[in-house]
Amino acid sequence: MSGCEACDAKKLVRSPSGLRMVPEHRSARSPFGLDEPPWVPDKECPRCMQCDTKFDFITRKHHCRRCGKCFCDKCCSKKVPLPRMCFVDPVRQCAECALISQKETEFYDKQLKVLMNGATFFVTLGTSDKSELMVCRLSNNQRYLVLDGDSHYEIEIIQISTVQILTEGFTPGGGNTRAIGMILQYKVPGSEELTQMKFTASEDFSCNKKLSASWLAAMHKVSKGGKTYRRL
C-alpha cells in the first residue's frame, strides 16, 4: 500500500444534512472536497431567500445542503448528488447550487476516475537526459499523484503549481490535436524551489497511446478547473 493511502479508512456519519461517508482521518480528506456549510438559523429566515415567500404552517422551509440558506419547497426541491461533501445519497439543494453540483458530476464520474485508474508514461525528472517508464495515477484519497516504476514518487496535488499539456497534430489551417505528454511543476515540502517533471506517452502499444491520451485530457481538465475544485 502506498504511504499516501495508509489512512484511507472511512466511516459513516450522520449530520443534519444526511448520511456521509467520510475519511476517519482528517489528513486523508480529498483536496477537492467541501465542508458542510452552517445552516442559516430558522429564526433568521421568515421568508424564502430566493422568492421571498413567507413561511407558515403550509409553506415549509428547507435548507440547501450546499449553501446552507433557507428556501421554500419550490425553490429548493431538487435532490442532486453532492460527492464533494461525501453524501451517500442525493441531497436537497437550491436551484443555483443544484446546477453547480450537476456540472461537477462529470468531474467526479469521469475525470477523477480516469486519473485514479492511471496510465503509463516515460517520466523525466528536472534536466536529466534519462527517462523512466512509470505508472502514474491519482491516489484513492485524491490527495497525491503517485508514480511507480523502479523509482517511486508521491506528489501532493496542492503542491502542483503548473500543468502544461504537450500536443501534436496542429496545423496552421486547423485540425485535431492529440495529447502526447505533460510538463508538471511542483514544490517539494520544505523547499520553495519548483521541481519539474516531463511525462511522455508510451508508444509501445496503440492501447497505451489511447489510455495515455485520455489520462492527459483528464489531467488538463482537472488542472484547468483546479482552483474551482481545490481548497488552496
Side-chain angles (χ1 to χ4, degrees), residues 110-111 114-116 118-123 136-137 145 163-168 177-184 197-203 208-224:
K110 294 183 180 179
Q111 274 78 55
V114 168
L115 292 176
M116 290 167 72
T120 302
F121 297 92
F122 285 105
V123 178
C136 308
R137 64 181 179 83
L145 191 60
V163 175
Q164 178 187 353
I165 302 299
L166 307 176
T167 61
E168 69 174 9
T177 60
R178 181 172 66 92
I180 59 170
M182 171 178 72
I183 294 177
L184 193 75
M197 276 187 173
K198 182 178 180 180
F199 297 67
T200 305
S202 170
E203 299 282 341
N208 282 347
K209 291 168 62 176
K210 184 176 181 180
L211 183 61
S212 298
S214 297
W215 195 92
L216 290 168
M219 191 70 185
H220 176 62
K221 288 186 178 180
V222 167
S223 63
K224 194 174 180 181

Side-chain angles (χ1 to χ4, degrees), residues 14-158:
R14 182 180 293 277
S15 73
S17 299
L19 287 174
R20 303 170 65 217
M21 185 66 75
V22 301
E24 286 190 354
H25 302 275
R26 189 174 181 83
S27 61
R29 294 178 62 187
S30 168
F32 304 105
L34 284 176
D35 291 324
E36 281 191 84
W39 281 12
V40 174
D42 287 350
K43 62 182 180 181
E44 294 182 12
C45 52
R47 295 177 177 273
C48 174
M49 299 179 77
Q50 177 64 39
C51 69
D52 205 37
T53 297
K54 185 177 181 180
F55 295 122
D56 53 30
F57 182 74
I58 296 176
T59 305
R60 305 284 301 276
K61 62 184 64 174
H62 303 277
H63 286 86
C64 171
R65 272 47 175 176
R66 186 178 179 115
C67 68
K69 294 180 181 179
C70 209
F71 303 92
C72 67
D73 182 69
K74 182 179 178 181
C75 294
C76 193
S77 61
K78 293 180 178 291
K79 288 193 174 182
V80 179
L82 187 48
R84 293 189 68 188
M85 290 185 190
C86 304
F87 283 109
V88 174
D89 300 308
V91 292
R92 188 185 292 268
Q93 298 177 58
C94 66
E96 183 178 353
C97 286
L99 183 60
I100 295 172
S101 295
Q102 287 168 343
K103 288 181 178 180
E104 291 173 352
T105 298
E106 181 183 1
F107 175 76
Y108 272 85
D109 287 352
K110 294 183 180 179
Q111 274 78 55
L112 283 186
K113 287 184 179 179
V114 168
L115 292 176
M116 290 167 72
N117 286 337
T120 302
F121 297 92
F122 285 105
V123 178
T124 307
L125 182 62
T127 58
S128 173
D129 58 357
K130 295 182 179 180
S131 60
E132 181 179 339
L133 190 63
M134 308 188 82
V135 175
C136 308
R137 64 181 179 83
L138 189 66
S139 64
N140 292 338
N141 58 26
Q142 303 161 4
R143 293 184 63 85
Y144 295 85
L145 191 60
V146 181
L147 288 72
D148 277 310
D150 291 336
S151 306
H152 176 81
Y153 298 96
E154 295 178 3
I155 303 171
E156 195 169 6
I157 293 297
I158 61 172

